[in-house]
Amino acid sequence: MPLSVKSPLLKYALPCLALFAVAGASAEPPRLILQITVDALRGDLPQRHLHNMGKGGFRYLFDEGVHYSNAHYQHGNTETIVGHSSLATGTTPALHGMVGNVWFDKDAGRLIYNVEDDRYHLLSSNADVDRSTEIDPTQRVALADGRSPRALLTSTFSDELAYAYNGQSKIFAVSVKDRGAIPLAGQTGKAFWFSKPAGRFISSNYYYERYPQWVLDWHDANPLDAYSDNSWQLLRPAQDYLFGTNDDQPWETDFPGFGRTFPHPWGSIGDKYFTTLLTLSPAGDQLTLDFAKTLVENEQLGQDAIPDFLSVSFSSNDYVLHLFGPSSLEAEDVLLQLDRTLADLFSYIDETVGLKHTLIVLSADHGAPEAPPYLNTRGDQDAHYYDMEACMQQVEAGLAQGPFAKVEGLIGQFSHPYIYLDQKVMEQAKLDGAKVAETVAALAEQCNSVNAAITTADTRYSPARNRTVETRVWNNYNARRSGDVYVVLDSQVYVNDFDGLVVAATHGSPWNYDTFVPIFFAGRGIAQAQVDRPVTPYDIAPTLSALLGIKPPSGSIGNPLSELLQR
Ligand SMILES: [Zn+2]
């Protein structure tokens, strides 16, 4: 009988191999921990497109790594900063404090952006968010140009590594998005992200007094030139794709100059939206890869016995999802191209550090919803977009007729997913906040497509009840930052108007399509396995800690994944 992977002989042999590998690892830790995040990579997407992928990328993770196929976040607001912070800290927003990309800061009396910090400044001039061209409305909330991890309330795995090795571990995080890099670097590492106005990777003086020379050299080599007067083209012939005949779908965003069909032109360097369009395509991931490789080389990561940490978060998949939806030719191609980017990264790490010395983990910050019109093409469903402003007007109108009719301005803010009551107005009118919140929640629940409006005082929804959606809302509650009422829209209903930019799909719900992410571990001491039991991404940080034999992050609620720790 030929010896196959499924042979019982090998089944028994594998734990022995794992025993030696892990025993070796405890004597000598990995030289590099490489934590990869793919923004908005829903748990099923790598498998869905694997047949069109090449060698060395996702296929390496499937063939040689441990794949967790049933991983879900257990918090409600599945946004980018929330997920990245959970990956970094091993806990929910209730504890790490990053409850949303934007929240109402009670001291400042205004909405704030998650990583803004007015004590610091960017190291590059003309790199601050340009409000006239920035398409991400959450970025436009920030008043300060400075960025830092100040708002993160618990320690990260990277922090724990820094403490354990007395600051000798080199710790870096890179992403196109500031909020994709900063949480993973923690309080102790260095973060770099891409400035669209400056067309370069930047940092703030929280991290550095001045840039290392290699950062300046990377920019001076004009890496963006190759994209000028060029366009995003399909990697493979159109007929190879699941969505090969669906390039032009009417719900896709027709971004000026970029269009809804291939090829998508980037325009010329210096054009108003040139750098933005790079980030909305595989080019954003390719630039991130190039910068990360330059970092590994110049900072000499993984070259000695002290373990170093590199986080790379690839953002393009998320932007493409928003514009076109995950079931689109663009989304399919961006993943196939990311697969090549990952293969390049793994091969580079193998040459410079050695995969046998590297512990790799890959996951996502949240899943991905479908564009409602796509769902409706598969049957007469009621998936639809939703205007939350209309609901808030309905709530205001309801308040004007109820027991609080004489008090004006009770609602301070709606900032997804929270309604914040105006505390000053309530104090002046001597109102009981819990009662007002209850009334507002009851009114919001009367809005069409609102599934539930849950008040912070609502003890009906205790975690002990283990009701999936309500538990996720509860896990998102942080007393300093969360609002008074959490609004949950129905499954398959999305707000898609971001201050004028109408997009195809929006994540951020507590439903399973937004909480579902893949988790892969590969590299040093890892034997191939597929694990179907339920796990959470909060398990990743404590698993890394356990594999390194260091203490878990301060607020970690996850469990070390037993499949990786078998001895
Ligand atoms: Zn994201």
Side-chain angles (χ1 to χ4, degrees), residues 38-40 78-81 84 177 179 318 322 365-366 507:
V38 180
D39 209 303
T78 45
E79 291 183 342
T80 296
I81 187 62
H84 279 90
K177 296 183 183 179
R179 58 185 184 267
D318 177 80
H322 280 295
D365 56 339
H366 48 76
H507 54 84

